[in-house]
Amino acid sequence: MTQSRCLADLKALPESLLNAFSSAAKQSIFYSLPWFRNYLVTIEKGNCDLRLLTASEGNQDAALVMLAKQSDLPLSPRILIGAQNYYSCLFGPVYTGQPTDNLFDALLAPAKQERVDMLDLHPLDRESASYGALQGALRRGGWWVDEYFCFGNWYLHVEGRSYTQYYDSLPSKLKNTLKRKKKALDQAGNTRFEIIQSGPDVERAIADYIRIYNASWKVPEPYQDFMPGLFRTCAEHGWLRAGFAYVDGEPAAAQIWIVHDRQALIYKLAYDERFGKLSVGSILTAMLMEYVIDQDHVEIVDYLTGDEPYKRDWMSHRRERWGIIAYNPRSMVGLIHAAAHFGGKWLKSLRGDKDTSASPPKTNEDDN
């Protein structure tokens, strides 16, 4: 018998759902309970309208962490959107076993009872079994469904190599740059590198990261508590690999890597612009790469979000993350937005525009 329900928080979950989160976390930290809990505490700060959609069928369980929000789009549609934003490099359902039609139909059944006009899930692994299962369940539930491209994702298959073997495979230009810059730093003798994982140094790492980030080219963090919370969460679970470069004792560059279940995620990079010409960031990347390959023995190194050209020098493969947008034709507002979306795509096709699914629909949930 298939059952479904909607929960209002992530507290005191039954063991079956804890197992679903634990199973999914083996694929990615972005499916783990610690990730979602830090996200909800530091970004939503308890002010969110959480909708934990759950389903069970026999010994299989599934859950989808969603938020109900009122959009400021025209006609103020009510949107059910995944608990994610630009800090989340991957999103999706957690489940045990295989995603069957019955299980996923039950998982999304509570969404119909929410009286929402639109449903948005992103960024999703388009190659996963759950991607097609979500689309199928939504269509069978009467939603009008489309998909859209989010971003490219570069990653490395280590394939059992040592760091030395991996280094030998890098482009000659990158290897020459690393050798030249490392030699210059060694001769200057004023640079120190450090990897922080846990213990009392974590709070110092947080302070140094904030100092570097504020002196970098990047826009200010919109949620000041998120990164400190992520530092502490990762340190608590043994996932943190925070690399730092210091020049004349000053924090110059920081890279926040997360190591979990034989995967190393390159999560955040920043450097103080005063030290940009020293290329301490590239040296720091090489140092962390050596550590996660030779010490952590990871199988995958993942650059996560974006198609920046430098990433292909370090990585070996590329994949894509996509989103699913669904409109509720049973509501007038949902029907109007569906008409605007699909009508716009139809007009583009008449004009001969290419790749009409390659841009995300506007939901006003990711403007930052």
Side-chain angles (χ1 to χ4, degrees):
M1 180 179 179
T2 305
Q3 296 180 332
S4 61
R5 57 177 174 161
C6 181
L7 305 179
D9 59 52
L10 298 181
K11 301 175 183 177
L13 296 179
E15 185 176 354
S16 58
L17 286 182
L18 292 176
N19 290 338
F21 277 100
S22 179
S23 177
K26 295 177 181 178
Q27 302 175 49
S28 174
I29 185 181
F30 299 111
Y31 300 146
S32 71
L33 268 179
W35 170 268
F36 282 116
R37 284 171 172 160
N38 180 62
Y39 178 91
L40 294 171
V41 168
T42 62
I43 293 179
E44 301 296 339
K45 296 185 182 296
N47 298 321
C48 64
D49 199 356
L50 179 66
R51 294 290 186 270
L52 179 62
L53 309 185
T54 72
S56 62
E57 181 186 33
N59 60 356
Q60 286 186 280
D61 293 273
L64 193 56
V65 188
M66 304 292 287
L67 303 173
K69 296 191 174 185
Q70 200 76 35
S71 173
D72 58 2
L73 289 172
L75 303 179
S76 300
R78 184 167 171 80
I79 297 177
L80 200 60
I81 190 168
Q84 54 68 46
N85 66 0
Y86 35 83
Y87 287 116
S88 309
C89 303
L90 191 60
F91 179 76
V94 303
Y95 53 90
T96 53
Q98 295 298 317
T100 65
D101 287 352
N102 285 343
L103 183 66
F104 271 56
D105 286 350
L107 178 63
L108 290 165
K112 295 172 65 176
Q113 302 167 10
E114 289 295 317
R115 297 181 180 178
V116 296
D117 307 300
M118 299 166 59
L119 185 146
D120 188 10
L121 301 169
H122 72 279
L124 304 171
D125 179 2
R126 203 186 191 197
E127 300 171 7
S128 68
S130 63
Y131 188 83
L134 286 169
Q135 288 184 312
L138 286 166
R139 290 193 173 100
R140 287 189 297 273
W143 298 81
W144 293 5
V145 182
D146 199 8
E147 60 179 3
Y148 60 92
F149 172 76
C150 293
F151 52 81
N153 166 225
W154 285 88
Y155 64 103
L156 168 72
H157 274 302
V158 178
E159 298 178 327
R161 291 174 291 176
S162 67
Y163 174 75
T164 299
Q165 292 170 320
Y166 160 73
Y167 179 85
D168 289 341
S169 72
L170 294 176
S172 297
K173 184 178 179 180
L174 176 57
K175 288 191 290 186
N176 291 336
T177 298
L178 291 172
K179 289 178 182 178
R180 187 176 69 255
K181 295 295 185 179
K182 182 68 165 57
K183 182 178 179 180
L185 291 177
D186 290 342
Q187 290 175 343
N190 63 339
T191 305
R192 176 175 65 87
F193 295 91
E194 182 179 6
I195 298 176
I196 296 173
Q197 301 184 48
S198 61
D201 288 334
V202 171
E203 294 304 314
R204 173 171 61 86
I206 293 172
D208 288 347
Y209 166 79
I210 293 173
R211 180 176 173 182
I212 292 166
Y213 190 92
N214 290 340
S216 74
W217 71 99
K218 298 192 174 185
V219 298
E221 292 276 11
Y223 298 97
Q224 298 293 320
D225 295 332
F226 177 79
M227 284 304 298
L230 185 62
F231 267 87
R232 297 180 185 114
T233 296
C234 290
E236 177 185 351
H237 290 85
W239 304 338
L240 181 65
R241 305 293 184 271
F244 289 89
Y246 297 87
V247 178
D248 293 326
E250 291 192 62
Q255 296 193 8
I256 313 308
W257 291 35
I258 301 171
V259 172
H260 176 60
D261 204 61
R262 295 297 181 92
Q263 297 182 55
L265 313 180
I266 307 175
Y267 188 71
K268 278 277 190 176
L269 314 176
Y271 62 83
D272 188 322
E273 292 188 279
R274 293 178 298 161
F275 306 106
K277 293 182 179 180
L278 298 177
S279 295
V280 287
S282 296
I283 304 302
L284 193 54
T285 299
M287 183 188 74
L288 282 160
M289 191 72 78
E290 181 177 10
Y291 190 90
V292 301
I293 290 176
D294 287 350
Q295 301 300 318
D296 291 314
H297 304 292
V298 300
E299 298 171 355
I300 298 289
V301 181
D302 193 337
Y303 243 128
L304 297 177
T305 304
D307 275 313
E308 292 84 354
Y310 72 86
K311 293 181 178 179
R312 67 187 63 190
D313 290 340
W314 295 94
M315 303 289 108
S316 60
H317 293 74
R318 180 186 181 274
R319 57 195 167 194
E320 295 180 348
R321 303 309 189 194
W322 281 64
I324 295 174
I325 187 76
Y327 299 89
N328 180 6
R330 296 173 297 276
S331 82
M332 182 59 68
V333 174
L335 187 60
I336 291 172
H337 278 275
H341 174 79
F342 289 103
K345 289 189 65 173
W346 178 70
L347 289 175
K348 286 181 180 180
S349 67
L350 287 181
R351 294 197 303 263
D353 293 354
K354 295 181 179 180
D355 198 8
T356 57
S357 293
S359 59
K362 190 65 174 171
T363 64
N364 280 16
E365 299 301 331
D366 290 305
D367 290 343
N368 293 315

